[in-house]
Amino acid sequence: MQKIILSVLLLAGTGALKAQPPKTQANRTQVPKPVTPVNILKTTNDSVSYVLGEIAAFNLVQQGLGDVKINNTVFLRALNDILGKKQTLMDDVTANALLNNYMVKLQQDKVKPAIEEGNKFLAQNKLKPGVKTTASGLQYEVITEGQGNKPAAIDTFVAHYRGTLLNGTEFDASYNRGQPLTLGVSQVIRGWTEGLQLMPIGSKYKFWIPYDLGYGVMGQGQIPGGALLIFEVELLDVKKKQE
């Protein structure tokens, strides 16, 4: 059929399409009739059921689960159990943990190139003079060494900072706002919590923070999942926790 249509189009394009001889039963091309989809939406309940299915599918796509190969039998079993107020096959805690782990694994596979790029950079960066690496994998360089006290995990810090991605994109900077960040040492990403405790007041350090000490595989805002983060941090003051 495709060859027949193509031949006709070629002839029409050159103006060479001639009158065709009368079709006989022998030379008549059998063209299959288009199949009309069976309309399964025969009642209001059918239509509402379809819309509910659309909502469920849309929510799966929004949650990043649109590519999951769903076992329809098991999927419908879960729907029927919930809607029928029956005992489910797993409790809420187990279900949430399973789904969270599954989504993290999906995202980890998705951002694997970014993780590998960051790891490759860190492996080379740690060889540079002045760069130190902690047991967790955090890397830092002392730009200016202060003389004040170091903060503890329970303290509050006051600091100016600038954060960039490996490609140089700046995603945040307190300098641009003209106001330093004041926050608990334990209320920031793990890389900051560890790094701040290395810094005496008055210090300025540069940190290279692996993704697992930053925003993990999920990322946040302008920070993509699996991203290596680079920070310049200037520790201005420490507010000790009152005992």
Side-chain angles (χ1 to χ4, degrees):
M1 176 60 69
Q2 290 181 346
K3 291 182 179 179
I4 294 174
I5 295 174
L6 181 59
S7 299
V8 171
L9 290 175
L10 288 173
L11 289 172
T14 59
L17 183 60
K18 299 179 180 179
Q20 300 297 315
K23 291 185 178 180
T24 63
Q25 188 64 32
N27 65 15
R28 183 180 291 114
T29 302
Q30 297 295 325
V31 180
K33 295 181 180 180
V35 178
T36 303
V38 177
N39 185 8
I40 62 174
L41 307 180
K42 298 179 179 179
T43 67
T44 300
N45 183 262
D46 292 341
S47 298
V48 171
S49 297
Y50 188 82
V51 171
L52 292 176
E54 286 185 318
I55 293 173
F58 180 77
N59 286 336
L60 287 173
V61 171
Q62 290 293 97
Q63 295 296 324
L65 296 170
D67 295 329
V68 176
K69 295 181 180 179
I70 293 177
N71 183 320
N72 290 331
T73 300
V74 178
F75 186 80
L76 291 175
R77 167 66 185 273
L79 285 177
N80 290 328
D81 285 347
I82 295 295
L83 296 177
K85 299 180 180 180
K86 299 177 182 178
Q87 180 66 43
T88 55
L89 300 181
M90 62 180 75
D91 58 64
D92 291 346
V93 174
T94 302
N96 286 331
L98 185 149
L99 187 57
N100 286 337
N101 291 336
Y102 183 79
M103 292 185 69
V104 168
K105 178 62 169 59
L106 285 180
Q107 183 65 11
Q108 195 165 26
D109 292 341
K110 181 179 179 180
V111 301
K112 186 177 179 181
I115 294 175
E116 292 178 343
E117 181 184 19
N119 290 340
K120 181 179 179 180
F121 174 87
L122 291 171
Q124 297 173 345
N125 193 57
K126 70 179 181 180
L127 302 177
K128 294 180 179 180
V131 175
K132 300 178 181 179
T133 305
T134 69
S136 69
L138 173 69
Q139 293 184 0
Y140 69 97
E141 178 183 18
V142 178
I143 299 174
T144 303
E145 186 72 7
Q147 301 299 320
N149 294 325
K150 295 180 180 179
I154 60 175
D155 296 334
T156 297
F157 70 89
V158 181
H160 265 309
Y161 68 93
R162 176 174 288 104
T164 60
L165 301 176
L166 191 55
N167 63 8
T169 300
E170 182 180 291
F171 56 82
D172 194 13
S174 64
Y175 295 104
N176 297 340
R177 296 188 292 273
Q179 182 175 356
L181 176 67
T182 301
L183 206 59
V185 175
S186 296
Q187 294 180 306
V188 287
I189 57 176
R190 291 171 56 200
W192 266 60
T193 298
E194 180 182 356
L196 285 167
Q197 295 179 77
L198 301 172
M199 302 178 66
I201 296 174
S203 297
K204 185 174 183 179
Y205 281 21
K206 186 171 185 177
F207 294 110
W208 293 270
I209 301 178
Y211 80 98
D212 55 334
L213 299 180
Y215 291 98
V217 298
M218 305 306 290
Q220 180 172 303
Q222 300 179 58
I223 302 172
L228 168 71
L229 306 179
I230 303 173
F231 283 98
E232 289 186 3
V233 180
E234 185 179 0
L235 183 60
L236 305 176
D237 195 11
V238 173
K239 300 177 181 181
K240 304 299 289 186
K241 181 178 176 62
Q242 299 298 319
E243 300 295 340

